[in-house]
Amino acid sequence: MQRFPNVTWIEGSEMQILPETMQAAVYRAVDDVRTETVAVPEIGAGEVLVRIDTCGICGTDLKKIHTGSHAAPRVFGHEMAGTIAAIGDGVRGFAVGDRVMAFHHIPCGACFYCRKKTFAQCEKYKLVGTTAGVGEAAGGGFAQYIRVMDWIVGDGVTPAGLIKVPDDIPFEQAAFIEPVNTCFKAVKLLELEPDDTVLVIGQGSIGIILAALAKQTGATVLTSDMYAARHAVAAKFGLDRPLDARGDVVAACKAATDGRGADVALVAVGADALIATAMQAIRPGGRVMLFASTQHGTAPFDPAAVCMDEKTLMGSYSASVAIQQEGIDLVFEGYRSGKLDFTQLISHRFGLEDAAEAVRLASNPVADSMKIVLKA
């Protein structure tokens, strides 16, 4: 392993020596995230060190922090973008100073699940390929630097998980590449048609991304949320059919579809009770896509609705390399055109020194809180 003590990296026009220590928001126990000074992670052959600029706080990060599903200590965070600070021996296609984002999971491409294009079930995919060097790899984006492992970096020929970011794309937009991929995967699986009506339940940042991507297919998109402030943000993405979640969403869907119900309901909230609502809101032969149901449990639904009414209950989880470049293009071109400027979803920015407060706000959303990001 090499620390590259003499390597320099560029921030603006100022050259700086790579430091030995950094700030990181370290998960120490359930509901316990502390900003600490830790060692900058070492890198080996085929690996790169990235100086993080922006990292979003994802619901899956929060689930791990609050449930204790992962042993401490470790540093979470995977919606990240920054600048290459050092490169290991043998790295091709990348150089110090390159602006990049990193996927934290990349599949093997050869196993049974990869052949079936169910990449999130690949054993290699389940390994985390980015780390802040504290405990087991867990993304690491809640830190100033991350080590990007060799299978994420790739061979410089075949694209892998380290993605160059053009100069005209801000890091805050690039940090959405991974979550946009996950949403785009779900929308692609639905194979929406222009005459479809889609209900998206929940208008947090993920719900708005799902709704905006669904609208791009030409479908009519109804959005449900209890906060008018969130519908106002959604309107910036052309989402102009808001429903008040405190009212009768099922009746509203039927009223908008000649009494049938929506063709598709996307559930972007991790609340099991909403599955029944979604099932009731769709027409016979319609589909419910679960996007945020990442905790094990039980949820009641009417089995006759699946059998006799031929309704389909399905799910989508994590990213897909099959649509990786298409998703990247969506993020870059969406910013350039202004149609998918995801930086508009960022409501709060915190420095690493205030990471605990950022996690608290993200865990207890209010009307005007959307995507919370850490700025390293």
Side-chain angles (χ1 to χ4, degrees):
M1 305 289 283
Q2 305 174 55
R3 187 173 290 281
F4 298 94
N6 298 315
V7 169
T8 57
W9 64 281
I10 302 172
E11 181 175 338
S13 59
E14 183 180 355
M15 299 291 289
Q16 299 183 6
I17 299 298
L18 192 67
E20 293 289 318
T21 61
M22 65 177 183
Q23 295 294 295
V26 182
Y27 166 71
R28 286 290 175 184
V30 173
D31 293 331
D32 184 359
V33 175
R34 311 174 190 176
T35 301
E36 302 179 6
T37 298
V38 300
V40 171
E42 299 178 349
I43 63 172
E47 300 181 340
V48 306
L49 187 72
V50 173
R51 172 64 162 91
I52 296 298
D53 177 276
T54 301
C55 186
I57 299 178
C58 175
T60 58
D61 298 319
L62 300 175
K63 179 185 76 172
K64 295 165 187 173
I65 290 168
H66 299 319
T67 65
S69 59
H70 291 57
R74 62 182 71 202
V75 178
F76 295 117
H78 58 270
E79 300 176 355
M80 53 205 174
T83 305
I84 293 181
I87 60 173
D89 293 340
V91 170
R92 294 192 295 170
F94 296 97
V96 171
D98 282 351
R99 306 171 77 248
V100 295
M101 66 76 58
F103 285 92
H104 61 311
H105 296 299
I106 288 292
C108 74
C111 70
F112 171 86
Y113 290 110
C114 286
R115 293 197 303 273
K116 296 295 185 182
K117 298 190 182 301
T118 316
F119 302 109
Q121 308 310 318
C122 165
E123 290 303 315
K124 183 76 168 182
Y125 185 91
K126 293 178 182 180
L127 299 177
V128 181
T130 60
T131 180
V134 178
E136 294 185 36
F142 298 170
Q144 289 180 297
Y145 292 89
I146 60 164
R147 168 191 169 203
V148 183
M149 299 177 202
D150 55 358
W151 79 90
I152 304 293
V153 175
D155 60 10
V157 178
T158 303
L162 190 62
I163 309 300
K164 289 185 179 180
V165 176
D167 290 342
D168 65 325
I169 304 299
F171 287 124
E172 290 187 351
Q173 177 80 359
F176 279 94
I177 288 175
E178 190 272 346
V180 166
N181 183 301
T182 67
C183 294
F184 191 41
K185 172 186 172 182
V187 172
K188 294 276 279 189
L189 285 171
L190 290 167
E191 298 181 333
L192 297 175
E193 298 179 352
D195 64 347
D196 282 337
T197 296
V198 179
L199 168 66
V200 181
I201 299 177
Q203 287 295 277
S205 58
I206 287 296
I208 290 177
I209 293 171
L210 286 165
L213 295 178
K215 188 175 176 65
Q216 285 205 328
T217 69
T220 298
V221 179
L222 311 176
T223 56
S224 171
D225 201 277
M226 63 188 296
Y227 294 127
R230 293 190 170 188
H231 284 305
V233 176
K236 298 178 181 179
F237 294 85
L239 300 168
D240 54 3
R241 301 288 296 272
L243 303 178
D244 187 342
R246 294 167 297 184
D248 192 337
V249 172
V250 173
C253 285
K254 292 185 177 181
T257 55
D258 297 323
R260 293 187 306 273
D263 298 283
V264 168
L266 271 155
V267 184
V269 182
D272 290 343
L274 291 174
I275 298 174
T277 300
M279 291 289 281
Q280 293 165 20
I282 60 171
R283 63 168 173 80
R287 292 162 290 164
V288 169
M289 169 67 79
L290 303 185
F291 190 84
S293 300
T294 59
Q295 296 197 54
H296 292 288
T298 58
F301 66 92
D302 180 2
V306 175
C307 181
M308 296 176 63
D309 295 342
E310 301 181 304
K311 296 181 179 182
T312 299
L313 184 60
M314 57 195 298
S316 181
Y317 179 68
S318 202
S320 170
V321 292
I323 58 169
Q324 184 165 292
Q325 189 58 53
E326 196 174 356
I328 292 166
D329 292 342
L330 270 174
V331 174
F332 292 166
E333 296 307 319
Y335 181 80
R336 290 168 178 146
S337 70
K339 294 179 180 179
L340 293 174
D341 177 1
F342 296 116
T343 67
Q344 297 177 100
L345 297 176
I346 299 174
S347 62
H348 296 78
R349 298 167 175 83
F350 290 86
L352 283 173
E353 67 277 8
D354 295 318
E357 176 62 17
V359 168
R360 186 202 65 76
L361 178 59
S363 303
N364 300 278
V366 293
D368 66 348
S369 65
M370 297 290 289
K371 173 57 72 175
I372 314 297
V373 301
L374 291 175
K375 305 290 289 187

